[in-house]
Amino acid sequence: MSTPRIVLAYSGGLDTSVAIQWMKEHRGVEVVACAVDVGQGIDDLDEIRQRALDCGAVESVVVDAKQEFAADFIAPALKANAMYMGKYPLVSALSRPLIVKHMVEVARSTGAAGVAHGATGKGNDQVRFEVGTMCLAPDLEAMAPIRDWALTRDAAIDYAEQRGIPIPTMTKQSPYSIDENAWGRTAECGILEDPWAAPPEDVYERTVSVADAPDEPEEVVLAFEQGLPVSIDGRSLPLEELVAEIDRRAGAHGVGRIDMIEDRLVGIKSREIYECPGAITLLTAHRDLEDLCLEQELAEHKRAEEGRYAQLIYNGLWWGPLKSALDAFIDEANSYVNGEVRVQLYKGSATVVGRRSEQHGLYTYEMATYDAEDAFDQSLAEGFVKLWGLPLKTWAAKAQAAGRTL
Ligand code: ARG
């Protein structure tokens, strides 16, 4: 019988580079490396493909999934205003289901018996990789070499040096654990594990500090169709390019730094630093345009579902039925979200300073104005207020008669 093959989600970093050899030695499998470009800033796809081979992979595949990540993962998250704990735009949580999808495809085309990931036993990523695999390919085994091995960083470096595994440059210096894609950048570990310690400036890569941000504000006009941004300042761009451009421009003003204590699915509270300039700017603009275009009841119900939607993505349930059922609702609501938003980028903030929607804007000047054009019939308000307050009035009379002080 030939040696079984396992497809490893390969990042090019230290852990997954040493995992290739470890899986051969300790699990008796051959490793097919699969790196997925989700906009983490890989300069050279060939270089990463070759690196996996140099580390001992029998085959190495690199998938350019930047466009797919934007269209199928960023887009629904933006339409849902998805922010875990109201703060975190789900950067890593969004990329995992896509990586699983590609690993499974590679497993099918190479006849592999399973997939593997480089996540530890303490985080959410293991859940997202493995539950994703259970959904897309329940027959495939899922391995977690880094979790099984439980090695420290120094031990991983020693292991690599003993076996002549080329260690990615940077590895020795960087004190942080980084994950990155088109929707943002995450940093954990090192000094960040002290939640009282302010993050050092060297954690950040995509944003300038507020102190170094330009003294002049910059305005961008974002046009949305069906809830998705289609142009910046009148220039149409495909979503993946638009996200990259707004990320750059907002980052240059220090927008999108997030320092938070996060509730992991495995029960740990962790300290996380995120940089999401593009995501924060687009989410801010999108939410504002919804306020203009969505009817009140629909808007309120959507807001109530958004936290749930973010949570299910965070918790690795991307491929489940609740996600697609909620998507149907969210898409329907977003069919109204067409228009433009003016956003001012300035000293760490993305602030909406104007919005309009010819087609679906529900702001009606004649209703809102206090000027002469006022068409709102104020006489109707008298009866409305009386009926609105009737239940409380009835209750308050009884309560006070019974001696309750209000
Ligand atoms: N805490 C974040 C999440 O669960 C970020 C995880 C980053 N992953 C990493 N391997 N550094 O989504």
Side-chain angles (χ1 to χ4, degrees):
M1 221 187 89
S2 61
T3 313
R5 293 187 157 196
I6 299 290
V7 178
L8 171 68
Y10 184 65
S11 70
L14 175 67
D15 285 355
T16 52
S17 292
V18 294
I20 296 174
Q21 184 60 33
W22 188 88
M23 288 169 70
K24 280 207 238 181
E25 278 178 33
H26 295 266
R27 294 288 181 266
V29 296
E30 288 182 341
V31 174
V32 176
C34 173
V36 183
D37 185 355
V38 284
Q40 62 269 55
I42 302 177
D43 295 331
D44 186 348
L45 297 185
D46 273 332
E47 200 255 303
I48 199 163
R49 188 191 344 263
Q50 187 58 44
R51 193 185 306 167
L53 295 171
D54 294 345
C55 292
V58 285
E59 269 188 59
S60 180
V61 182
V62 181
V63 186
D64 179 352
K66 291 196 287 289
Q67 197 252 329
E68 185 183 12
F69 183 55
D72 297 344
F73 295 82
I74 290 177
L78 176 56
K79 288 193 207 174
N81 301 317
M83 299 261 249
Y84 181 65
M85 294 174 73
K87 295 181 187 173
Y88 166 44
L90 296 169
V91 176
S92 305
L94 281 180
S95 73
R96 304 314 183 205
L98 173 60
I99 294 170
V100 170
K101 181 178 169 219
H102 285 287
M103 283 205 287
V104 166
E105 277 170 21
V106 172
R108 296 306 185 208
S109 66
T110 57
V115 296
H117 60 78
T120 72
K122 298 183 68 171
N124 304 303
D125 287 329
Q126 55 179 340
V127 181
R128 298 166 186 153
F129 283 121
E130 291 174 41
V131 176
T133 306
M134 289 173 204
C135 289
L136 297 185
D139 58 306
L140 291 183
E141 181 191 355
M143 284 188 180
I146 300 300
R147 183 176 65 201
D148 295 350
W149 195 4
L151 87 172
T152 62
R153 243 179 138 60
D154 287 343
I157 292 171
D158 288 346
Y159 180 88
E161 279 170 354
Q162 281 157 18
R163 286 165 180 74
I165 299 168
I167 300 176
T169 48
M170 293 297 295
T171 294
K172 281 187 173 166
Q173 303 94 298
S174 176
Y176 311 114
S177 163
I178 303 293
D179 185 49
E180 207 170 350
N181 62 49
W183 206 225
R185 185 171 180 275
T186 79
E188 299 167 347
C189 301
I191 180 70
L192 305 176
E193 288 178 353
D194 175 359
W196 178 247
E201 206 40 46
D202 73 353
V203 180
Y204 298 107
E205 210 165 78
R206 290 198 193 186
T207 52
V208 301
S209 69
V210 170
D212 293 334
D215 290 327
E216 291 303 313
E218 177 180 344
E219 191 176 295
V220 291
V221 177
L222 292 162
F224 286 80
E225 281 174 16
Q226 317 245 320
L228 291 179
V230 292
S231 74
I232 303 184
D233 298 330
R235 205 160 35 91
S236 300
L237 285 174
L239 185 60
E240 66 279 11
E241 288 176 34
L242 189 148
V243 169
E245 170 155 347
I246 199 74
D247 197 72
R248 233 177 357 258
R249 284 171 69 173
H253 287 273
V255 172
R257 290 187 174 187
I258 301 159
D259 176 347
M260 67 184 281
I261 300 294
E262 181 171 301
D263 289 331
R264 288 192 188 164
L265 179 58
V266 293
I268 298 170
K269 281 197 189 280
S270 64
R271 198 280 187 88
E272 308 274 337
I273 302 293
Y274 300 115
E275 286 178 280
C276 308
I280 292 297
T281 305
L282 290 171
L283 287 161
T284 302
H286 177 263
R287 223 186 277 114
D288 192 278
L289 191 58
E290 282 191 341
D291 292 344
L292 180 65
C293 298
L294 297 190
E295 178 277 330
Q296 290 192 13
E297 294 293 319
L298 176 59
E300 193 178 318
H301 188 72
K302 183 167 184 295
R303 281 194 295 273
E305 296 297 341
E306 287 171 357
R308 187 72 202 269
Y309 188 88
Q311 190 175 39
L312 78 86
I313 294 173
Y314 187 86
N315 289 345
L317 306 178
W318 178 276
W319 299 107
L322 178 57
K323 159 77 171 45
S324 40
L326 288 176
D327 275 334
F329 166 72
I330 289 164
D331 285 345
E332 167 71 15
N334 272 275
S335 69
Y336 298 99
V337 185
N338 301 287
E340 288 172 292
V341 184
R342 295 170 61 191
V343 184
Q344 189 183 71
L345 307 171
Y346 184 55
K347 294 282 183 199
S349 297
T351 310
V352 174
V353 294
R355 70 292 282 159
R356 66 179 172 195
S357 169
E358 193 67 51
Q359 208 182 351
H360 292 294
L362 300 175
Y363 177 90
T364 309
Y365 175 75
E366 293 73 21
M367 290 290 124
T369 185
Y370 288 96
D371 287 346
E373 292 92 335
D374 185 6
F376 184 87
D377 182 353
Q378 297 200 35
S379 70
L380 295 176
E382 189 185 340
F384 167 75
V385 177
K386 284 192 173 131
L387 292 186
W388 175 252
L390 184 57
L392 267 195
K393 188 180 175 189
T394 311
W395 167 81
K398 283 278 177 183
Q400 292 199 43
R404 189 179 178 123
T405 355
L406 297 184

